[in-house]
Amino acid sequence: MKITFLGTGVAIPQAGRVQSGLIIDAGSKPLLVDCGSGVLKNIFESRYQHTDVNTIILSHLHLDHVADVLPLIKANWLCDKTVSTIYGPEGTYQWITKLLDIYQYMQGKVDINVIEMSSGDVVTPLGTDCRITAAEGVHSVPSLGFRIESGGRTLVYSGDTEPCTSIMNLSRGADVLIHECSFPAGFDVTNHTTPTSIAGFLVEDVTDIKNLYLTHLYPQMQGHEQESVEIIKYHFAGHVQIASDMLTIKV
Ligand SMILES: [Zn+2]
Ligand SMILES: [Zn+2]
């Protein structure tokens, strides 16, 4: 599998990071996971064509994860690609239906298939061999993490969450865990992760995770990147890295 980080930032704008999004390429059609503001532009900047992106997997419905979904669907419609599939948490169908109620000029022009997922659900998107398992994180709205398995390799994406046992159980044995790390050590936050709050969950004989990439960085993380990696490395022997927009990794 190849992963391209399209957006590693959050709702507050900052230099070099747009909102959340990444592409999973298992050799068949690309899967887009989350699609915040700036992601459509970064698909354009990437090796992928937006017209090839018609399967979108949403962790949750916060704006910094979904703002570019309708613009992507519109761009594809204008290029005669009208069919898309969205996987997402409970409420996804109502969300896209209400959006299309507002943008009536798109009604009847696009064909959006919505599949709502909850903890424990397993899907394999058409045209791929990716087995995707969902687990619920701890966030201010229902938010899913995903375990994506293909060709004997495993990637886990946390979505927005506090460090929690459900996402860590989902991550057991993963080749790569992409986990949010919104704030630096010392921030007292709920619903999100800091290097100190995740460190205790990364005991490797329990999780057996090989590589950890940190994403979903608030501007407050600027200047604390190296310190954050070092705090985690103290507890975790695997590879730890801060993700950046347009970084591509092999899983
Ligand atoms: Zn969120
Ligand atoms: Zn977010």
Side-chain angles (χ1 to χ4, degrees):
M1 274 189 284
K2 240 183 282 171
I3 310 302
T4 300
F5 293 90
L6 296 172
T8 57
V10 295
I12 301 171
Q14 60 191 297
R17 296 186 193 278
V18 303
Q19 297 179 355
S20 290
L22 55 94
I23 277 188
I24 297 168
D25 181 348
S28 44
K29 70 173 176 182
L31 300 175
L32 176 63
V33 182
D34 283 342
C35 189
S37 175
V39 167
L40 178 57
K41 191 251 187 191
N42 276 356
I43 293 173
F44 177 80
E45 301 286 354
S46 77
R47 74 187 72 194
Y48 300 99
Q49 305 291 323
H50 65 85
T51 45
D52 291 332
V53 180
N54 61 15
T55 304
I56 307 168
I57 299 159
L58 300 176
S59 62
H60 64 301
L61 301 174
H62 275 161
L63 266 177
D64 57 316
H65 298 255
V66 304
D68 268 1
V69 170
L70 205 57
L72 169 62
I73 288 169
K74 177 173 176 178
N76 287 345
W77 163 42
L78 294 176
C79 297
D80 295 324
K81 301 277 186 179
T82 56
V83 179
S84 48
T85 300
I86 301 177
Y87 297 87
E90 184 189 343
T92 301
Y93 179 80
Q94 189 187 33
W95 166 75
I96 196 75
T97 302
K98 284 187 169 178
L99 269 180
L100 289 173
D101 276 349
I102 295 165
Y103 294 95
Q104 291 201 352
Y105 69 97
M106 292 180 70
Q107 278 183 15
K109 302 290 196 295
V110 293
D111 180 5
I112 305 171
N113 178 32
V114 174
I115 297 159
E116 294 193 350
M117 296 181 73
S118 52
S119 228
D121 284 354
V122 180
V123 297
T124 297
L126 266 180
T128 77
D129 70 344
C130 294
R131 176 188 154 92
I132 304 177
T133 308
E136 187 149 352
V138 176
H139 197 46
S140 52
V141 297
S143 182
L144 298 172
F146 300 105
R147 180 183 179 97
I148 297 125
E149 293 161 287
S150 172
R153 308 292 283 172
T154 300
L155 162 79
V156 174
Y157 170 64
S158 70
D160 280 10
T161 185
E162 292 178 22
C164 62
T165 50
S166 60
I167 298 299
M168 286 303 148
N169 287 339
L170 191 72
S171 307
R172 272 170 209 264
D175 296 293
V176 171
L177 169 60
I178 297 168
H179 203 288
E180 76 124 287
C181 189
S182 292
F183 296 100
F187 267 70
D188 184 17
V189 291
T190 54
N191 302 316
H192 287 296
T193 296
T194 69
T196 32
S197 70
I198 196 174
F201 283 85
L202 289 169
V203 182
E204 60 220 89
D205 55 343
V206 178
T207 57
D208 191 27
I209 296 162
K210 318 291 187 300
N211 299 281
L212 173 66
Y213 288 82
L214 303 175
T215 189
H216 199 267
L217 310 182
Y218 269 77
Q220 288 90 334
M221 276 290 280
Q222 285 171 12
H224 296 277
E225 294 88 349
Q226 192 54 37
E227 157 206 299
S228 300
V229 167
E230 275 159 23
I231 288 168
I232 290 171
K233 274 188 168 172
Y234 187 76
H235 300 266
F236 175 72
H239 175 73
V240 186
Q241 188 175 334
I242 306 270
S244 53
D245 287 19
M246 310 313 286
L247 170 71
T248 296
I249 61 169
K250 269 193 173 173
V251 178

